[in-house]
Amino acid sequence: MPPKSKYRRGYPVAILIGLENDTASIWRVYSKIVKPEKIINLEYYIKTSNAYYNFYESIINVLRPILREGVKSVLIASPKTSDHNNNFINHIANHHVWLNQEKSKIIISQITGSAKSIPEVTDLTRKPEFKKIINETVEKESDFNLNLLEKRLNKAGSEQLVLYSLDDIEKEIVYSSDRNYKPEVLLLTDKFLSRGINRSRVQRVIQIAENKGVETRIINSDIDAGKRLSQLGGIVCIRKEISRH
């Protein structure tokens, strides 16, 4: 069972990038707290050729493992005097087309403010505007997961592509019971996770899914994607067929 302390911070919600003239501060946003991930100093690259290219690439390299976990909502905070936000977004468009493709698409939003230090992040996260933008960004991301789910449900053989019961999902993720399919995305609502019954079991499944590289997203029950998941029991595992070629 995963350590209890992990769940005191809540579930992963988004990535916050504080872009200043001299640094990029990357934070993990959870449903209950915000945790620092990495600070990247432009000074380290400024004397090299293509300094800003290398600076932005270093940000992408920090984001890669977080994105692979399933978090695709990104909020960029920068002061009005900084052009880094637009430059960084242009860098993604020009050099990382994969981040705009359906399966790996990230949803980027922007907010004016500083996120360089813990006090600044604390002030930023208390603003109603921050909460509003985060909610809108996560909802857009959740819609992509919902679209993937609906596509698999409408595909021939959908009974093999989508699992609904905790028993079946546990067999699939923990024991890799089917050699013809493999788990691709695990989706569940926050209400399903918070239920007292089977909670430790669900947390174990989530931890093993993350360890195996299965994208895992916990979705607010009150948004459209969460309501749809609730109709399906609160948890689903989207699978894909293993190619034999």
Side-chain angles (χ1 to χ4, degrees), residues 166-205:
L166 181 56
D167 286 342
D168 289 341
I169 292 171
E170 186 176 48
K171 289 177 184 176
E172 171 72 10
I173 290 177
V174 178
Y175 306 109
S176 302
S177 58
D178 195 327
R179 296 182 179 179
N180 297 314
Y181 298 88
K182 67 178 182 179
E184 186 175 11
V185 182
L186 176 65
L187 303 174
L188 64 156
T189 66
D190 55 344
K191 286 185 179 178
F192 189 91
L193 176 62
S194 65
R195 290 176 186 170
I197 185 170
N198 292 325
R199 184 172 183 179
S200 61
R201 186 178 166 199
V202 173
Q203 291 175 350
R204 176 170 176 262
V205 169

Side-chain angles (χ1 to χ4, degrees), residues 5-16 26-37 66 69 71 73 121 125 130-131 134-135 138 193 206 210 216-218:
S5 59
K6 175 178 178 178
Y7 292 92
R8 288 176 186 158
R9 68 193 182 200
Y11 54 86
V13 172
I15 304 165
L16 171 63
I26 302 169
W27 308 77
R28 287 180 182 247
V29 180
Y30 294 89
S31 57
K32 296 181 180 179
I33 64 170
V34 178
K35 289 191 65 177
E37 181 70 15
I66 307 175
E69 293 171 9
V71 179
S73 296
V121 169
T125 56
F130 178 88
K131 296 177 181 179
I134 280 285
N135 289 339
V138 171
L193 176 62
I206 293 172
E210 291 174 349
T216 303
R217 285 303 266 155
I218 299 166

Side-chain angles (χ1 to χ4, degrees), residues 6 20 37 46 51 62 64 68 71 74 87 94 104 138 152 160 162 176 181 183 191 212:
K6 175 178 178 178
E20 304 280 337
E37 181 70 15
I46 204 65
V62 175
R64 287 179 191 275
R68 281 197 293 267
V71 179
V74 178
N87 292 340
N94 293 329
S104 55
V138 171
R152 296 294 168 86
Q160 299 293 330
V162 182
S176 302
Y181 298 88
K191 286 185 179 178
K212 289 186 174 182

Side-chain angles (χ1 to χ4, degrees), residues 16-18 75-78 111-115 118-131:
L16 171 63
I17 305 174
L75 178 59
I76 299 175
S78 61
I111 187 171
T112 300
S114 293
I118 291 177
E120 288 174 338
V121 169
T122 300
D123 288 342
L124 185 67
T125 56
R126 287 175 177 169
K127 293 180 179 180
E129 181 188 3
F130 178 88
K131 296 177 181 179

Side-chain angles (χ1 to χ4, degrees), residues 25 27 116 205 212 220 238:
S25 304
W27 308 77
K116 189 174 182 179
V205 169
K212 289 186 174 182
N220 190 313
I238 302 173

